[in-house]
C-alpha cells in the first residue's frame, strides 16, 4: 500500500495538473453561467461520464432558467439540441439518445425522412419506415405529443400496427382490419404512472419530480 501511495504522490497532483484543471473549471463555469442550455446539452451528449445523472443535469439547468423541452418525433434529433427563442435564451430539446435502447442509426433515419414533420404513427411507419421496436420505445417515452397523442394513446396505435416483416397477404388483411377498428377510449394515465414511465425510458422526467407526488 505504501509503495502505491508513494508512486501516485510522485505524479498525482503536480502544479501543472492543478493549473490545467483550474483552467477547465473556469471555462466550464463560464459556459454554465452564460450559456446554461448549451452546457446542459453538451454534458448530456457526453454521457456516460460518471459524475451526474441526466436527471440531475436537467434539473440544475431548469433551476438556472433553461427551458427543457421533451423528446418528440417531430422536433428531436439524436443528440440533445438547442432551439432558438426570439428575444430569449435558447431552449434545450431532449434527443433520442436519452432513451434507453435506441439505436443511433434508427434515430438518424427517422430524422432524415421526417421532412416537414410526421402526421401520424402510420405516417412514421410508411413514409419514415420506422421499425416497430423503435416506435414502441418512442411511444413508451411519450414522444408523440406533437401528434396530439399521449403515451397511452400512442402505445395503443403502435401496437395495432403489423410487425416489420409480414407476408403481403397478411399485411393486406391487417390493413383492412386496422381501418375498420374503432378507436378505444382510454382513460388518462395518472401523473405518477407518467413519471415512473419517464424514468424507466429516459431516466428523467419533465412532468414532475417523484418527491412532489410522495410528499403529501
Amino acid at each position: 500500500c505504501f509503495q502505491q501511495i508513494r508512486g501516485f504522490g510522485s505524479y498525482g497532483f503536480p502544479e501543472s495538473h492543478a493549473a490545467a484543471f483550474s483552467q477547465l473549471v473556469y471555462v466550464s463555469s463560464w459556459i454554465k453561467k452564460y450559456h446554461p442550455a448549451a452546457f446542459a446539452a453538451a454534458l448530456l451528449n457526453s454521457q456516460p461520464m460518471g459524475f451526474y445523472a441526466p436527471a440531475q443535469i436537467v434539473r440544475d439547468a431548469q433551476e438556472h432558467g433553461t427551458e427543457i423541452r421533451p423528446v418528440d418525433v417531430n422536433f428531436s434529433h439524436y443528440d440533445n439540441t438547442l432551439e432558438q427563442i426570439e428575444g430569449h435564451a435558447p431552449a434545450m430539446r431532449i434527443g433520442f439518445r436519452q432513451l434507453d435502447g435506441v439505436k443511433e442509426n434508427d434515430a438518424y433515419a427517422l430524422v432524415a425522412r421526417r421532412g416537414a414533420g410526421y402526421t401520424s404513427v402510420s405516417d412514421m411507419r410508411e413514409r419514415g419506415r420506422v421499425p416497430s421496436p423503435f416506435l414502441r420505445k418512442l411511444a413508451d417515452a411519450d414522444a408523440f405529443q406533437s401528434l396530439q397523442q399521449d403515451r397511452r394513446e400512442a402505445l395503443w396505435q403502435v401496437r395495432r400496427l403489423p410487425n416489420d416483416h409480414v407476408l403481403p397477404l397478411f399485411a393486406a388483411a391487417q390493413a383492412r382490419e386496422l381501418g375498420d377498428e374503432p378507436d378505444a377510449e382510454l382513460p388518462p394515465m395518472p401523473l405518477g404512472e407518467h413519471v415512473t414511465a419517464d424514468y424507466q425510458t429516459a431516466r428523467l422526467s419533465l412532468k414532475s419530480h417523484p418527491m412532489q407526488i410522495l410528499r403529501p
Side-chain angles (χ1 to χ4, degrees):
C1 290
F2 176 80
Q3 293 297 330
Q4 291 182 355
I5 294 172
R6 186 173 69 174
F8 178 78
S10 65
Y11 71 88
F13 292 95
E15 185 177 356
S16 59
H17 180 281
F21 191 77
S22 63
Q23 182 183 27
L24 290 175
V25 170
Y26 177 81
V27 171
S28 299
S29 300
W30 189 92
I31 296 174
K32 185 178 187 299
K33 177 174 175 58
Y34 294 105
H35 303 280
F39 183 77
L43 282 181
L44 291 171
N45 292 340
S46 299
Q47 295 286 323
M49 295 176 63
F51 296 105
Y52 301 103
Q56 292 174 294
I57 296 172
V58 167
R59 173 69 57 173
D60 181 77
Q62 289 176 319
E63 291 176 352
H64 287 83
T66 299
E67 179 185 348
I68 308 295
R69 296 176 175 177
V71 61
D72 192 282
V73 296
N74 278 327
F75 300 109
S76 293
H77 295 261
Y78 177 71
D79 284 329
N80 299 276
T81 55
L82 303 185
E83 295 182 352
Q84 298 301 321
I85 305 175
E86 186 176 355
H88 296 84
M92 192 199 81
R93 174 71 66 176
I94 295 178
F96 297 121
R97 68 179 299 143
Q98 296 305 131
L99 306 182
D100 289 338
V102 168
K103 297 179 181 178
E104 187 173 353
N105 291 340
D106 287 342
Y108 279 114
L110 180 151
V111 174
R113 301 181 185 125
R114 185 160 58 193
Y118 295 109
T119 59
S120 65
V121 175
S122 298
D123 184 34
M124 293 185 64
R125 180 61 182 274
E126 295 167 9
R127 180 167 59 89
R129 300 195 293 277
V130 181
S132 296
F134 190 18
L135 283 174
R136 285 192 288 270
K137 287 183 173 64
L138 293 171
D140 283 332
D142 201 15
F144 290 87
Q145 295 183 35
S146 62
L147 303 181
Q148 308 303 315
Q149 290 185 330
D150 69 5
R151 176 179 275 117
R152 186 167 281 171
E153 292 173 344
L155 281 169
W156 179 264
Q157 293 292 330
V158 168
R159 294 185 184 280
R160 289 178 60 198
L161 294 174
N163 294 325
D164 291 338
H165 305 289
V166 183
L167 294 174
L169 179 61
F170 293 104
Q174 288 177 336
R176 286 195 297 271
E177 291 172 2
L178 291 177
D180 297 333
E181 182 179 343
D183 292 332
E185 295 183 4
L186 302 174
M189 181 179 285
L191 178 61
E193 292 185 23
H194 270 298
V195 173
T196 300
D198 286 342
Y199 274 90
Q200 289 173 336
T201 55
R203 290 168 293 163
L204 60 92
S205 178
L206 302 181
K207 298 179 178 67
S208 180
H209 191 280
M211 286 306 301
Q212 288 181 292
I213 301 170
L214 298 174
R215 188 173 288 121

